[in-house]
């Protein structure tokens, strides 16, 4: 993500001021102390010249893309920097797919149903085998995707985002984050707590037994 900011963000890596990336990131509002070329929705009375701007050209959280092209990572970053492609028409991948995909049909849709830190669910429908782009940062160390309960590959799309191949039909898409290290730590922590509790109960039992047992003369 830092590489994305450095090359395509438009602010020397400190922020993202590139409207093309705002759209891909599904940015609905921008807070700025100068005019950013968007319609102001609110102007602060306390913070001088600071306004909230609406972004009317934002892209949906998820949408189908007609085709893809394979390019090197730096080339993809340059395309994102220059904004020289239509994200609904083409998606950039770093390696070719094993299966063929077709342009999205008019009835293709993706509707977000649930969004949590470690769980995402959406209803998706496709007329053809199509590519679904999601405005989520690609992170393969823990995130897994499932269509109707069957695991599918999460593709690294447009350098830093996620995509999957959706077969024809109506499906339930779920994405879950799991960390083996976290789960192992949780099990060990719970086991440690259980052992500690057992030792405390045992100690209390022994002490009460000593008190209730008459001392020998």
């Amino acid at each position: 993500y830092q590489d994305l900011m450095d090359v395509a963000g438009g602010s020397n890596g400190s922020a993202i001021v590139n409207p093309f990336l705002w759209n891909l990131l599904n940015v609905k509002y921008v807070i700025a102390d100068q005019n950013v070329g968007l319609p102001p929705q609110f102007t602060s009375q306390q913070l001088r010249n600071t306004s909230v701007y609406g972004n009317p050209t934002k892209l949906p959280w998820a949408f189908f893309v007609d085709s893809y092209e394979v390019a090197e990572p730096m080339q993809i970053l340059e395309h994102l920097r220059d904004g020289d492609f239509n994200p609904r028409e083409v998606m950039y991948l770093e390696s070719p797919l094993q299966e063929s995909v077709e342009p999205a049909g008019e009835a293709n849709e993706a509707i977000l149903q649930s969004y949590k830190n470690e769980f995402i669910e959406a209803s998706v429908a496709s007329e053809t085998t199509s590519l679904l782009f999601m405005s989520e940062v690609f992170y393969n160390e823990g995130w897994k995707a499932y269509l109707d309960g069957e695991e599918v590959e999460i593709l690294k799309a447009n350098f830093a985002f996620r995509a999957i191949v959706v077969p024809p039909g109506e499906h339930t898409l779920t994405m879950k984050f799991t960390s083996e290290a976290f789960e192992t730590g949780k099990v060990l922590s719970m086991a440690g707590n259980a052992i500690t509790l057992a030792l405390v109960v045992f100690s209390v039992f022994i002490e009460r037994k000593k008190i209730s047992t008459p001392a020998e003369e």
Side-chain angles (χ1 to χ4, degrees):
Y1 194 83
Q2 187 60 53
D3 291 340
L4 181 74
M5 294 177 64
D6 290 341
V7 179
S11 186
N12 297 319
S14 61
I16 293 180
V17 297
N18 181 350
F20 188 82
L21 278 186
W22 290 346
N23 294 339
L24 273 182
L25 288 165
N26 186 229
V27 172
K28 299 177 177 65
Y29 301 98
V30 176
I31 301 175
D33 58 3
Q34 57 185 325
N35 193 307
V36 296
L38 298 174
Q41 302 291 314
F42 171 80
T43 299
S44 172
Q45 300 300 316
Q46 286 75 33
L47 300 176
R48 187 177 179 183
N49 299 326
T50 299
S51 297
V52 177
Y53 297 91
N55 181 16
T57 59
K58 70 181 184 300
L59 291 166
W61 169 79
F63 56 90
F64 285 89
V65 183
D66 289 337
S67 63
Y68 76 94
E69 294 182 15
V70 177
E72 295 295 324
M74 183 54 69
Q75 292 176 322
I76 300 173
L77 284 171
E78 290 170 350
H79 284 299
L80 293 170
R81 179 196 64 200
D82 300 337
D84 58 4
F85 69 100
N86 185 338
R88 289 184 179 273
E89 294 179 356
V90 63
M91 172 192 299
Y92 284 100
L93 303 177
E94 296 175 19
S95 58
L97 298 176
Q98 299 298 316
E99 55 197 313
S100 60
V101 293
E102 302 173 62
E106 293 184 359
N108 284 26
E109 64 177 359
I111 301 174
L112 186 63
Q113 302 291 354
S114 177
Y115 193 99
K116 301 177 182 178
N117 287 341
E118 300 174 353
F119 178 83
I120 301 171
E121 183 174 279
S123 299
V124 297
S126 178
E127 296 179 354
T128 60
T129 300
S130 305
L131 282 168
L132 178 67
F133 174 91
M134 288 163 285
S135 185
E136 295 290 328
V137 175
F138 178 82
Y139 188 74
N140 60 350
E141 298 296 329
W143 276 103
K144 295 184 181 300
Y146 304 85
L147 274 180
D148 304 326
E150 296 291 329
E151 186 174 353
V152 295
E153 181 183 5
I154 299 178
L155 306 171
K156 184 182 178 185
N158 294 340
F159 186 82
F161 301 89
R162 302 180 204 173
I164 63 168
V165 176
V166 179
E170 297 182 356
H171 310 279
T172 297
L173 166 65
T174 55
M175 288 191 290
K176 302 177 183 178
F177 179 82
T178 56
S179 168
E180 293 184 5
F182 175 78
E183 293 299 325
T184 300
K186 183 171 70 173
V187 170
L188 292 176
S189 177
M190 293 177 64
N193 290 339
I195 293 173
T196 301
L197 180 61
L199 290 174
V200 170
V201 172
F202 181 73
S203 298
V204 171
F205 173 76
I206 294 298
E207 289 299 322
R208 288 185 175 181
K209 187 174 182 181
K210 287 181 179 180
I211 294 173
S212 61
T213 301
E216 294 184 0
E217 296 182 357

